[in-house]
């Protein structure tokens, strides 16, 4: 058996030990001692080192750090796109306090969480270029086997709400960067996730469009959505309820009560 | 909105009067294809300036040229991802300008397979699900989807990794998945936009070899855009572009 196959089998065995725990029903997600390392050649790089984080319902959290600080690794681990070496990622899966640890779920459970409980937004939008805005938003609902009537109602509602009602049958190549990101936000919301995870959502956008996207995030937060955004842009991070600084895989500072971010850096 | 539609109809009607000479053996034919962008009033950029090309069944054609020469614009026109300002694109004898939205979607799903520089896989879906995706939108049955996903994952050599997410695959592997996805609806033509742009030389050549195998063994028609001469010369025919025009056509010995 190849080493890779062995690894997969071990992973499956490890993940088959899922057990629900009770958590505070007002918490969406709690992360405990999350550690992730990568091996490059002969050296080991620690991308995340014992990271702890709790996100409450309706909170908008920004994690700020330079390139290589571990931001995307964090989003990938929380989004079940990558798996930590150790630590826990406990989601309030039913919204009532039933906590399940992503790290020890079966592949099938992880797929469900990824599809139904997490809305992912990426820097480069990651839209499927041959599908229209409408079809791109519809996609997670099709994968989740939702019926055509539900899909039509939901997709049209979301695209109209985000200001793309007139452009829903356009292809990504016919949309501006800001419009493409709005399609991505709609796609992230389509299965009513517990949390939105956004990886540098304004990284490709100009200042004005960036401001518009952040306004959308604030509207979503005010409508009760929970959002975790990672960014290197301190200006937009300031708009969040809480700002956490990530440096070399470690949370070094956190803002308290809306303190300006410059003050956090001075600490 | 209505005015726009009316104008479009008038424009299409004026095009209809032009008699193009169609070749029944051609998969793709373009006639005097032009794309003009108005930057500000009076300032325009001609991204495409009178392109006439013909690609026959089973051909492997590369389009080469520097950045900004119009390569990607040309692919977007042929792939019905964008509309030309003037001129026409015929895919298997049909002028795509006359197609409605549903027909164009059908064309993009069933007649054309797309491969992109950045792979454009859906990050939350497994390799299997990514390949299956265009078949779902094309309304294929579950049995057919299952059969074709397995078939094309096997052809690109990644059957073992069907459960993996894109983030768990290397760049070369992601591009192979993208190729399987492009082929799953068995399109008339495979369109590749800088398919090796994000890969190192070795991985890039592996992708080109795979495309060449698909071309020789499945008689797959391929139109590929690249800025890399080492990649472009591996096609049977090379079209060199500059400033929105084809300046040279080279038949290679491949």
């Amino acid at each position: 058996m190849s080493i890779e196959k062995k690894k997969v089998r071990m992973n499956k065995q490890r993940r088959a030990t899922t057990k629900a725990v009770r958590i505070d029903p007002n918490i969406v997600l709690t992360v405990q001692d999350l550690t992730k390392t990568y091996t490059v050649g002969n050296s080991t790089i620690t991308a995340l080192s014992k990271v702890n984080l709790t996100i409450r319902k309706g909170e908008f959290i920004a994690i700020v750090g330079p390139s290589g600080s571990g931001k995307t690794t964090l989003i990938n681990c929380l989004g079940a796109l990558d798996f930590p070496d150790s630590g826990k990622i406990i989601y309030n899966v039913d919204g009532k306090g039933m906590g399940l640890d992503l790290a020890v779920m079966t592949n099938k459970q992880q797929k469900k969480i990824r599809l139904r409980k997490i809305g992912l937004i990426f820097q480069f939008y990651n839209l499927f270029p041959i599908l229209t805005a409408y079809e791109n938003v519809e996609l997670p609902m099709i994968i989740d086997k939702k019926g055509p009537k539900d899909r039509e109602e939901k997709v049209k509602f979301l695209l109209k709400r985000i200001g793309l009602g007139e452009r829903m049958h356009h292809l990504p190549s016919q949309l501006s960067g800001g419009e493409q990101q709005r399609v991505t936000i709609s796609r992230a919301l389509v299965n009513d996730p517990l949390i939105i995870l956004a990886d540098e959502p304004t990284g490709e956008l100009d200042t004005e469009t960036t401001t518009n996207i952040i306004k959308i995030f604030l509207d979503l937060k005010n409508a009760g959505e929970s959002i975790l955004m990672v960014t290197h842009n301190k200006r937009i991070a300031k708009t969040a309820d809480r700002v956490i600084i990530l440096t070399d895989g470690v949370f070094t500072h956190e803002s308290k009560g809306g303190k300006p971010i410059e003050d956090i850096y001075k600490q | 909105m209505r005015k726009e539609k009316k104008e479009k109809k008038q424009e299409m009607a004026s095009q209809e009067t032009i008699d193009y000479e169609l070749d029944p053996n051609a998969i793709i034919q373009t006639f005097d294809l032009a794309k003009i962008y108005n930057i500000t009033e009076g300032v325009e950029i001609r991204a495409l300036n009178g392109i006439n090309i013909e690609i026959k069944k089973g051909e492997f054609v590369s389009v080469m040229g520097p950045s900004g020469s119009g390569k990607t614009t040309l692919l977007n026109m042929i792939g019905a991802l964008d509309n030309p300002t003037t001129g026409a694109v015929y895919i298997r004898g049909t002028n795509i300008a006359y197609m409605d939205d549903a027909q164009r979607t059908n064309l993009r799903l069933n007649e054309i397979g797309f491969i992109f520089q950045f792979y454009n896989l859906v990050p939350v879906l497994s390799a299997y699900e990514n390949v299956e995706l265009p078949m779902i939108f094309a309304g294929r049955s579950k049995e057919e989807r299952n059969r074709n996903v397995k078939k094309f994952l096997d052809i690109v050599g990644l059957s073992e990794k069907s459960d993996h997410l894109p983030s768990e695959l290397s760049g070369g592997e992601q591009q192979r998945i993208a190729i399987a996805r492009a082929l799953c609806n068995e399109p008339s033509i495979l369109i590749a936009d800088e398919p090796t742009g994000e890969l190192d030389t070795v991985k890039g050549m592996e992708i080109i070899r795979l495309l060449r195998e698909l071309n020789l063994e499945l008689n797959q028609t391929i139109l590929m855009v690249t800025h890399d001469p080492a990649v472009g010369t591996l096609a049977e025919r090379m079209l060199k572009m500059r400033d929105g025009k084809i300046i040279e056509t080279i038949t290679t010995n491949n």
Side-chain angles (χ1 to χ4, degrees), chain A residues 5 81 111 128 130 173, chain B residues 81 114 123 129 160 167 181:
Chain A
K5 272 188 184 168
L81 296 176
K111 193 183 156 189
F128 192 8
I130 68 165
S173 58
Chain B
L81 294 176
F114 292 87
E129 291 163 335
E160 298 277 302
S167 57
R181 179 180 67 178

Side-chain angles (χ1 to χ4, degrees), chain A residues 4-5 80-81 83 111 114 120 122 126-131 135 138-139 142-143 166 171 173-174, chain B residues 80-81 83 105 108-109 114 116 120-121 123-125 129 133-134 136-137 160-161 164-165 167-168 181:
Chain A
E4 197 159 312
K5 272 188 184 168
L81 296 176
F83 302 100
K111 193 183 156 189
R114 203 158 43 224
L120 279 155
F122 305 93
N126 287 77
L127 297 171
F128 192 8
I130 68 165
L131 300 181
E135 290 162 338
E138 189 186 21
L139 203 145
I142 291 178
I143 303 289
E166 297 289 318
L171 292 165
S173 58
Q174 296 165 323
Chain B
L81 294 176
N83 300 315
T105 299
R108 281 191 295 268
L109 283 169
F114 292 87
F116 304 93
N120 289 80
L121 299 175
V124 301
L125 300 181
E129 291 163 335
L133 208 57
I136 295 175
F137 278 91
E160 298 277 302
K161 299 208 169 177
H164 285 55
L165 291 166
S167 57
E168 297 171 316
R181 179 180 67 178

